[in-house]
């Protein structure tokens, strides 16, 4: 009897617990928010709301929101661009800033000391641009069209270098002295997280990195970093990311309110500051001593979409180092039909045919050289194009499209011999023009079954002399290609694997941030 | 013994369950007597509605209020107002816009607050040295609004001012505001600035707008991206320091509410400046149905709620209550402001905002 009563009590108790269901909300989030994941458990316990994060790049995220892709919330490092792009669509029903982190430059302590930059309150972006133009400052910065840190940095630098102290306007873009500044950008990436790893791997040849203050502070805690970074807050000012949590689905307002109440509570803010090194948004939580506390002058963020567009295009077509991208393309027999068609569409999209927000900015850029190397069991002659007019109807773009249409599937798959050809060509080109970005993209839908073996290729890469190292291969997984093999291939060259099985076009666009 | 315990426990359990059900049913009945009223408010009133004392005072009157916040001007244009029971924007012009959108004629003036400028002692000192600010009876006044606005319009930077050691920054001299297209506090700054630039006269004809619209536009366009609602810039003021915006146009109530909060975000380096002249923002509630009407009447008439509004920094008919509040918290606040101008008519203000809106589009 006693047992049965206890059982009843237990049952009542348990059912009481089960009633308090957790609610799951989907979040379209910037990849820079991945470091919040360890705190998601706390958030769920405290609010009963489980967050399901779907990561996305800057323009891609904005594009998804505007297109009405279903999501309950959106959470990016800043919402200003999204607010400008949405126009009258009113997708953002509510928003609240959750944390702060300015985008700043970190310079190796030894270099900062040599240049008199240590704790120098008079240091300006102009001084930094001069050091970059002279070749002394060699920094890593993420691509502005795919990463929020790169985007924020570009807007900040352009505003500071325009000489005006107001928000950037279309006319200021022309006057900004951006060319010299971006001469120093020796490493680019499609995401700020990946940029950090690449910086660590290549720290010997670099001496600076632009990223969120939080990321740079975390890097200084990282034992792999040999020369710790001095964070620079230039006199003209910086732009601070404020990480607004945005309500997109009006049905979830109650859960959203609960979330916001917890996220801006002193408890969460304190924990967030300690673990993610971002600054709190409530005055009740004081900045810990680890943060630099100079007067942080905030630059005005432009309110003018056309100025931002113009700036992004000016960066791509004019100011950044020009790149030479190699496309190693599998045209073996298994590509016949729909696969070949999607490859051709994906490539032609990059000639200006994709007019979506992310498409417009991932097109082939002015001054860019493209080399296509098709292969099956043999490697076909490479075809090289240089874009001197990035208009979608220009003769240059049309020539690229014409070539892509001519690709014919046949034969077996010999990946590594084709890749070796690409490396030989890329190295030869880099010897002639060392100031460009060189990268190789490999797309294949199957396993290597012809010619050079994977081991043979790895030996070839390992045997390259030091001055010939560093050209990365970005691989696209497609068809029956081996995920492990493609991943390893990317990794031995310092590159990254992208999944093209769902959408080849999307994978090609994402890789553009690394080219 | 065991035999006795079991039935006894069962009895206790049954009694317990019974009591639980009784309490729960009673709560449910209680809930039914409370009417839930949903409305759109300007963000600066959110803390007032979330205050447990306000919730309790409203519950006593049988009301529970659910609010969503938005820019006061946004309320009239971007929401399906019929989905709500009331709108409670800030500012007579925004209220007028809501009334016209919804063809509702009723409106209750619940409380008001003067516009003020959140700033820092270092900044006030620089402006004092430049003859723009003066301290009287412990209160900072912007005594030369004309000169301040002329300096802003002339695109002066802080580094151009004399004796600027405390803030020798190349930032433009600008007043930080919300987005004038969305929010009332910016519209109040526009109203005030239009008065000053129109040679200290209320703009009352389209002909008077022409000569001053360009400088007025520049007050906003040069700021770049601005927020939709007044809680944003004030929170930045509390958290980000003078590097973000050294002068921020806010409601006096925002500052006072923060000053008396248990763990206040204000510190000794911060000061509130009163423009001379300044302008009042009326907080006007527009009910869309009987429920909204009941809330409006309660907020306007209930003396407890009027006292609580004062605790949140608002002013109302209870001038003595406000004086007590200021005195008991030892705030450097003038209890009466004499140099106050009226905003232009709804049509004139709207015309100016539309012209600025066009400039944004044409850019």
């Amino acid at each position: 009897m006693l047992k049965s009563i206890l059982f009843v009590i237990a049952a009542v108790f348990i059912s009481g617990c089960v009633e308090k269901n957790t609610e799951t909300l989907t979040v379209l989030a910037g990849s820079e928010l991945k470091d919040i994941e360890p705190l998601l458990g706390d958030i769920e316990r405290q609010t009963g709301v489980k967050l399901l994060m779907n990561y996305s790049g800057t323009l891609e995220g904005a594009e998804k929101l505007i297109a009405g892709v279903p999501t309950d919330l959106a959470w990016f490092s800043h919402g200003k661009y999204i607010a400008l792009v949405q126009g009258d669509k009113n997708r953002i029903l509510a928003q609240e800033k959750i944390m702060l982190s300015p985008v700043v430059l970190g310079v190796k302590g030894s270099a900062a000391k040599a240049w008199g930059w240590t704790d120098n309150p008079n240091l300006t972006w102009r001084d930094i641009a001069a050091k970059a133009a002279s070749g002394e400052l060699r920094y890593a910065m993420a691509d502005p069209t795919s990463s929020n840190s790169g985007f924020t940095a570009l807007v900040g630098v352009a505003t500071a270098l325009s000489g005006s102290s107001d928000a950037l306007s279309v006319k200021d873009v022309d006057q900004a002295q951006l060319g010299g500044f971006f001469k120093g950008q020796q490493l680019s990436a499609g995401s700020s997280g990946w940029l950090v790893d690449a910086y660590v791997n290549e720290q010997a040849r670099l001496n600076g990195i632009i990223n969120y203050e939080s990321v740079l502070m975390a890097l200084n805690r990282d034992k792999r970093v040999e020369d710790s970074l001095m964070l620079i807050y230039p006199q003209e000012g910086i732009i601070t990311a404020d990480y607004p949590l945005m309500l997109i689905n009006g049905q979830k307002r109650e859960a959203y309110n609960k979330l916001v109440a917890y996220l801006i509570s002193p408890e969460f803010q304190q924990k967030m500051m300690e673990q993610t090194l971002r600054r709190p948004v409530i005055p009740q939580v004081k900045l810990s001593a680890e943060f630099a506390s100079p007067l942080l002058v905030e630059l005005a963020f432009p309110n003018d979409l056309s100025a931002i567009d113009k700036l992004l295009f000016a960066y791509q077509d004019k100011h950044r180092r020009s790149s030479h991208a190699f496309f190693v393309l599998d045209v073996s027999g298994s590509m016949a039909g729909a696969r070949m068609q999607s490859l051709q569409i994906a490539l032609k999209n990059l000639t200006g045919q994709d007019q979506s927000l992310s498409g417009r900015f991932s097109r082939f850029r002015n001054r860019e050289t493209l080399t296509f190397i098709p292969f099956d069991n043999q490697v076909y002659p490479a075809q090289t194009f240089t874009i001197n007019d990035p208009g979608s109807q220009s003769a240059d773009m049309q020539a690229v499209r014409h070539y892509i249409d001519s690709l014919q599937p046949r034969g077996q798959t010999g990946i590594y011999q084709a890749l070796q050809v690409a490396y030989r060509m890329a190295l030869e080109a880099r010897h002639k023009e060392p100031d460009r970005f060189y990268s190789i993209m490999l797309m294949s839908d199957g396993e290597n079954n012809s010619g050079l073996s994977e081991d043979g290729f790895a030996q070839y890469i390992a045997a390259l002399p030091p001055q010939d190292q560093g050209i990365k291969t970005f691989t696209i997984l497609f068809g029956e290609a081996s995920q492990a093999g493609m991943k390893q291939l990317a990794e031995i060259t310092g590159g990254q694997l992208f999944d093209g099985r769902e959408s080849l076009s999307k994978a090609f666009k994402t890789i553009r941030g690394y080219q | 013994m065991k035999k006795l315990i079991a039935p006894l426990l069962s009895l206790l359990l049954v009694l317990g369950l019974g009591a639980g059900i009784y309490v729960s049913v009673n709560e449910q009945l209680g809930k039914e007597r409370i009417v839930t009223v949903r409305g759109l408010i300007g963000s600066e009133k959110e803390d007032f509605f979330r205050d447990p004392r306000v919730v309790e005072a409203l519950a006593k009157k049988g009301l529970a209020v659910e609010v969503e916040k938005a820019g006061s001007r946004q309320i009239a244009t971007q929401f399906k107002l019929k989905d709500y029971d009331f709108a409670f924007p800030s500012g007579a012009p925004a209220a007028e816009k809501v009334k016209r959108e919804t063809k509702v004629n009723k409106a209750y003036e619940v409380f008001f607050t003067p516009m003020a400028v959140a700033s820092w002692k270092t900044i006030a000192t620089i402006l004092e040295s430049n003859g723009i600010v003066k301290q009287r009876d412990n209160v900072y006044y912007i005594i030369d609004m004309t000169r301040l606005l002329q300096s802003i319009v002339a695109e002066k930077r802080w580094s151009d001012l004399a004796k600027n050691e405390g803030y020798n920054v190349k930032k433009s001299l600008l007043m930080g505001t919300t987005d004038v297209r969305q929010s009332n506090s910016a519209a109040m700054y526009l109203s005030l600035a239009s008065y000053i630039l129109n040679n200290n006269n209320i703009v009352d004809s389209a002909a008077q707008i022409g000569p001053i619209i360009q400088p007025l536009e520049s007050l906003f366009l040069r700021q770049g991206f601005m927020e939709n609602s007044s809680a944003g810039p004030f929170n930045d003021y509390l958290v980000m320091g003078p590097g973000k915006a050294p002068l921020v146009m806010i409601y006096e109530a925002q500052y006072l509410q923060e000053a008396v909060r248990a763990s206040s975000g204000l510190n000794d380096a911060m000061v509130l400046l009163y423009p001379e002249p300044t302008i009042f923002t009326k907080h006007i509630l527009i009910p869309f149905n009987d429920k909204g009407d009941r809330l409006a009447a309660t907020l306007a008439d209930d003396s407890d709620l009027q006292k609580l509004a004062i605790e949140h920094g608002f002013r109302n008919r209870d001038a003595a209550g406000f004086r007590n509040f200021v005195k008991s918290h030892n705030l450097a606040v003038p209890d009466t402001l004499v140099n106050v101008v009226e905003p232009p008519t709804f049509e004139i203000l709207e015309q100016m905002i539309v012209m600025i809106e066009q400039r944004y589009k044409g850019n």
Side-chain angles (χ1 to χ4, degrees), chain A residues 157-179:
Chain A
V157 170
T159 305
L161 294 182
S162 72
S164 158
S165 54
D166 299 332
L168 193 75
S169 66
V170 171
K171 67 178 193 317
D172 297 328
V173 175
D174 296 331
Q175 291 158 358
Q177 307 290 308
L178 289 169

Side-chain angles (χ1 to χ4, degrees), chain A residues 70-113:
Chain A
T71 182
D72 298 324
L73 307 173
W75 199 0
F76 289 93
S77 66
H78 67 84
K80 297 181 173 83
Y81 185 71
I82 294 169
L84 290 179
V85 174
Q86 75 164 354
D88 298 329
K89 286 211 176 71
N90 223 13
R91 285 275 285 153
I92 306 165
L93 302 179
Q95 59 175 314
E96 200 78 52
K97 295 172 196 169
I98 306 298
M99 46 204 183
L100 303 171
S101 195
V103 173
V104 297
L105 168 69
V107 173
K108 278 184 178 172
S110 58
K113 205 171 161 194

Side-chain angles (χ1 to χ4, degrees), chain A residues 74-322:
Chain A
W75 199 0
F76 289 93
S77 66
H78 67 84
K80 297 181 173 83
Y81 185 71
I82 294 169
L84 290 179
V85 174
Q86 75 164 354
D88 298 329
K89 286 211 176 71
N90 223 13
R91 285 275 285 153
I92 306 165
L93 302 179
Q95 59 175 314
E96 200 78 52
K97 295 172 196 169
I98 306 298
M99 46 204 183
L100 303 171
S101 195
V103 173
V104 297
L105 168 69
V107 173
K108 278 184 178 172
S110 58
K113 205 171 161 194
W115 300 334
W117 286 7
T118 313
D119 297 323
N120 179 351
N122 298 318
L123 187 66
T124 62
W125 282 111
R126 273 176 197 275
D127 299 331
I128 296 169
K131 274 278 183 271
S134 73
E136 290 165 275
L137 172 61
R138 298 175 302 276
Y139 62 86
M141 181 186 125
D143 184 88
T145 60
S146 16
S147 155
N148 271 305
S149 73
F151 177 80
T152 309
L154 174 64
V155 171
V157 170
T159 305
L161 294 182
S162 72
S164 158
S165 54
D166 299 332
L168 193 75
S169 66
V170 171
K171 67 178 193 317
D172 297 328
V173 175
D174 296 331
Q175 291 158 358
Q177 307 290 308
L178 289 169
F181 183 83
F182 286 112
K183 270 206 185 103
Q185 188 191 3
Q186 304 241 342
L187 177 64
S188 177
S191 88
S192 47
W194 194 86
L195 186 79
V196 166
D197 289 335
Y199 172 81
V200 171
N201 289 335
E202 297 172 42
Q203 57 185 313
R205 72 175 181 102
L206 301 168
N207 54 14
I209 172 170
I210 293 179
N211 217 312
Y212 301 104
E213 174 191 61
S214 60
V215 171
L216 299 180
M217 285 169 71
L219 206 44
N220 275 344
R221 284 179 174 178
D222 191 328
K223 290 196 179 63
R224 295 174 301 165
V225 172
E226 285 153 15
D227 189 346
S228 75
L229 299 164
M230 161 101 204
L231 272 54
I232 309 277
Y233 303 82
Q235 198 192 44
E236 300 97 325
I238 37 84
I239 290 183
T240 300
D242 52 17
Y243 300 87
L245 182 67
M246 296 176 268
L247 174 68
I248 306 298
N249 176 0
Q251 305 291 317
K252 304 288 182 184
R253 187 177 287 273
E254 208 176 313
Y256 170 82
N257 287 341
K258 262 192 282 181
L259 268 175
V260 167
Y262 176 65
L263 294 177
I264 63 172
S265 69
E267 184 198 339
F268 180 84
Q269 290 278 309
Q270 184 73 37
K271 211 178 291 178
M272 174 277 294
M273 175 175 73
E274 285 162 9
Q275 292 192 17
T276 76
L277 295 168
R278 295 195 185 86
R279 297 173 179 241
V281 289
I282 56 169
Q284 286 75 23
V285 174
K286 299 292 170 223
L287 266 191
S288 71
E290 203 172 338
F291 289 85
S293 50
L295 174 69
L296 281 192
V297 176
E298 187 73 14
L299 291 163
F301 192 91
N303 203 350
D304 176 357
L305 201 54
S306 54
I308 295 177
D309 276 5
K310 193 170 174 200
L311 177 61
L312 288 172
F313 279 124
Y315 170 82
Q316 299 280 39
D317 292 329
K318 204 166 145 196
H319 299 307
R320 57 164 279 169
R321 286 172 169 239
S322 64

